[in-house]
Amino acid sequence: MARLILFNKPYGMLSQFTDRGTMGSDRPTLSSAIDLPGIYPAGRLDMDSEGLLLLTGDGRLQAQIADPKFKMPKSYLVQVEGEIGEDSLAALRRGVQLKDGPTRPAEAERIDDPALWPRDPPVRFRKSVPDCWIRLTIGEGRNRQVRRMTAAVGHPTLRLVRWSIGEWTVDGLQPGAWREAAAGPAALNPRFRKPRYPD
């Protein structure tokens, strides 16, 4: 059975083991939290996003997780600017037009503020502008897609936490922590069961 690591990537960390962008950069990388040989990220998570990152040394499993053609659902808890309404949620569910083409239909619903770990640094709030949380599940993974989708319906993203990929979740993992998980055929079954979300 392939080895699979579930990692809660903190805000501000690169989703790679080395920082190839800048000589002498002090940006944190995966190597500061994970010291395991022969594993690599299956997909990526932007530096300013948090939450679940899967790592494996199995190329086939890596492709099944990261390649959009397998349509593995990815769920995000998203704090957005403003009070999002049903019209905006319906637009996300239908799919929105981005510069690189329309998105696939998504699952989108407004949720109560989730019980998450504090972000470091905290989100900057403006007293004059309200905010709220949504849960968004997509089956593709374009560059900064969730942020672009919420902006397209008039609600810029303030905080973005990837909660699950398929049936694997970040539940119980603090930022910077990881655990090993099963990666057998059952976990990759396309009959997706919704994961447990934070209260």
Side-chain angles (χ1 to χ4, degrees):
M1 186 177 292
R3 191 174 198 186
L4 182 71
I5 301 299
L6 279 59
F7 177 59
N8 186 350
K9 189 194 83 66
Y11 178 90
M13 178 179 283
L14 296 173
S15 57
Q16 56 199 45
F17 282 96
T18 58
D19 185 359
R20 295 183 292 271
T22 309
M23 289 296 291
S25 170
D26 60 356
R27 296 186 298 182
T29 65
L30 298 176
S31 59
S32 64
I34 304 172
D35 185 17
L36 297 172
I39 61 165
Y40 307 94
R44 63 188 302 277
L45 192 57
D46 293 323
M47 193 169 79
D48 55 355
S49 299
E50 312 161 66
L52 184 62
L53 184 67
L54 299 178
L55 302 98
T56 182
D58 185 296
R60 187 173 176 182
L61 176 60
Q62 193 174 32
Q64 283 182 282
I65 293 168
D67 195 321
K69 74 180 181 183
F70 291 103
K71 300 181 182 178
M72 184 166 283
K74 300 173 179 68
S75 291
Y76 298 82
L77 305 180
V78 193
Q79 186 179 24
V80 297
E81 190 175 279
E83 295 285 350
I84 197 165
E86 186 56 34
D87 287 350
S88 295
L89 292 170
L92 293 169
R93 293 178 194 127
R94 288 191 303 269
V96 296
Q97 184 68 38
L98 303 178
K99 287 184 178 179
D100 52 354
T103 66
R104 295 175 185 161
E107 292 181 22
E109 62 179 325
R110 182 165 174 169
I111 59 172
D112 294 333
D113 293 4
L116 294 172
W117 55 87
R119 200 188 81 171
D120 182 21
V123 174
R124 291 182 182 176
F125 293 106
R126 291 189 289 167
K127 290 182 180 180
S128 61
V129 181
D131 62 82
C132 66
W133 286 84
I134 64 171
R135 182 163 52 236
L136 190 64
T137 301
I138 61 176
E140 52 188 334
R142 305 185 207 178
N143 185 44
R144 299 182 74 79
Q145 180 174 339
V146 170
R147 294 178 188 276
R148 292 193 290 145
M149 288 176 72
T150 67
V153 297
H155 295 276
T157 291
L158 300 173
R159 185 180 181 188
L160 181 58
V161 177
R162 183 158 64 197
W163 185 257
S164 66
I165 299 173
E167 293 183 17
W168 297 295
T169 80
V170 76
D171 191 28
L173 285 174
Q174 289 299 306
W178 61 270
R179 66 171 175 262
E180 200 152 356
L188 292 166
N189 193 309
R191 291 178 296 173
F192 175 59
R193 293 181 302 209
K194 287 191 175 181
R196 178 181 176 274
Y197 294 102
D199 298 326

